[in-house]
Amino acid sequence: DTAVSQTPKYLVTQMGNDKSIKCEQNLGHDTMYWYKQDSKKFLKIMFSYNNKELIINETVPNRFSPKSPDKAHLNLHINSLELGDSAVYFCASSPTTTNNSPLHFGNGTRLTVT
Amino acid sequence: AQSVTQLGSHVSVSEGALVLLRCNYSSSVPPYLFWYVQYPNQGLQLLLKYTTGATLVKGINGFEAEFKKSETSFHLTKPSAHMSDAAEYFCAVSDENQGGKLIFGQGTELSVKP
């Protein structure tokens, strides 16, 4: 029933570990995104995929690698986790890449790196 | 480059009072503008959007916003606040030619006092 679902909801791990966050949307949308929300609640885009093709790659460390096996899924793998990676990561989707398409957000994954 | 500024990181109103959340944008071309609401531990939900046409836009939960090009503003209002309106509110602008990427303001936390 959930439109955009992310797993896990919470992720606690130690520095240096590798972790993945999964995202799936059942809205039939072509475009998916990863946003990062920091401790001050500021939201910034990280990546965007359209029909499995990477179209937006903001200035994100190479330790972050998105993967889209199909247009309904967009996963985020993070290598060598650092304290500064602690944040809430939101997956989102939209029907197309046009500027007036609203985004549909998942409920977020709260990542805590200790 | 486009940007969004939300005036006031925290706004407090009494139940039944007018809600006014301020948003100013910067854009070299006609923008698409959005307001999103984030309830605790949840993702962002679209309240309303302005694309073209009527400058007064009505959204969900009794909220509305007016696009004023001369003031580069898109303030969010609600005539009468309800306790359930307490949340974080984000104004966002769409970045042209960037595949649907949204640029968010820093957010305004709305508190509603009984």
Side-chain angles (χ1 to χ4, degrees):
Chain A
D1 210 20
T2 306
V4 181
S5 59
Q6 300 177 226
T7 54
K9 187 172 176 65
Y10 299 98
L11 189 51
V12 181
T13 188
Q14 291 184 328
M15 278 179 14
N17 285 348
D18 303 338
K19 289 294 179 185
S20 291
I21 306 171
K22 296 187 175 183
C23 179
E24 175 182 6
Q25 55 97 1
N26 62 5
L27 297 167
H29 290 169
D30 285 345
T31 311
M32 296 185 73
Y33 309 80
W34 278 111
Y35 277 80
K36 179 180 179 181
Q37 185 174 47
D38 63 23
S39 59
K40 296 183 179 179
K41 298 199 173 179
F42 182 66
L43 278 152
K44 192 171 190 308
I45 191 168
M46 301 173 70
F47 302 103
S48 171
Y49 273 73
N50 186 58
N51 271 324
K52 303 192 296 178
E53 180 183 346
L54 180 67
I55 56 171
I56 295 175
N57 185 347
E58 292 292 290
T59 310
V60 178
N62 291 338
R63 300 181 294 102
F64 290 80
S65 54
K67 283 189 171 52
S68 182
D70 55 62
K71 73 174 191 177
H73 296 83
L74 180 61
N75 304 322
L76 183 66
H77 188 75
I78 315 170
N79 289 325
S80 303
L81 278 155
E82 300 177 357
L83 291 177
D85 298 332
S86 295
V88 181
Y89 292 85
F90 286 100
C91 177
S93 72
S94 65
T96 70
T97 59
T98 56
N99 295 340
N100 62 355
S101 291
L103 270 60
H104 298 252
F105 284 83
N107 284 336
T109 296
R110 183 174 295 276
L111 172 64
T112 303
V113 183
T114 61
Chain B
Q2 296 183 322
S3 66
V4 174
T5 301
Q6 291 182 238
L7 298 175
S9 59
H10 186 254
V11 170
S12 181
V13 300
S14 297
E15 193 172 19
L18 171 72
V19 175
L20 171 60
L21 304 182
R22 299 178 187 273
C23 172
N24 288 89
Y25 69 91
S26 171
S27 176
S28 58
V29 296
Y32 296 117
L33 294 159
F34 305 80
W35 274 100
Y36 284 84
V37 60
Q38 183 180 25
Y39 298 103
N41 297 315
Q42 292 188 27
L44 281 73
Q45 179 183 358
L46 180 69
L47 273 178
L48 48 81
K49 68 175 184 178
Y50 169 78
T51 54
T52 59
T55 57
L56 183 62
V57 180
K58 293 189 185 299
I60 62 171
N61 302 338
F63 284 93
E64 62 182 35
E66 186 171 11
F67 171 64
K68 291 187 176 180
K69 184 178 178 181
S70 61
E71 298 177 9
T72 60
S73 68
F74 190 57
H75 301 332
L76 181 71
T77 60
K78 182 174 180 178
S80 177
H82 192 271
M83 296 296 290
S84 61
D85 294 327
E88 190 85 20
Y89 291 80
F90 292 92
C91 182
V93 63
S94 185
D95 190 44
E96 72 274 18
N97 302 317
Q98 284 291 325
K101 165 183 167 181
L102 283 181
I103 297 170
F104 285 90
Q106 65 271 43
T108 298
E109 182 182 4
L110 175 66
S111 300
V112 182
K113 298 174 292 187

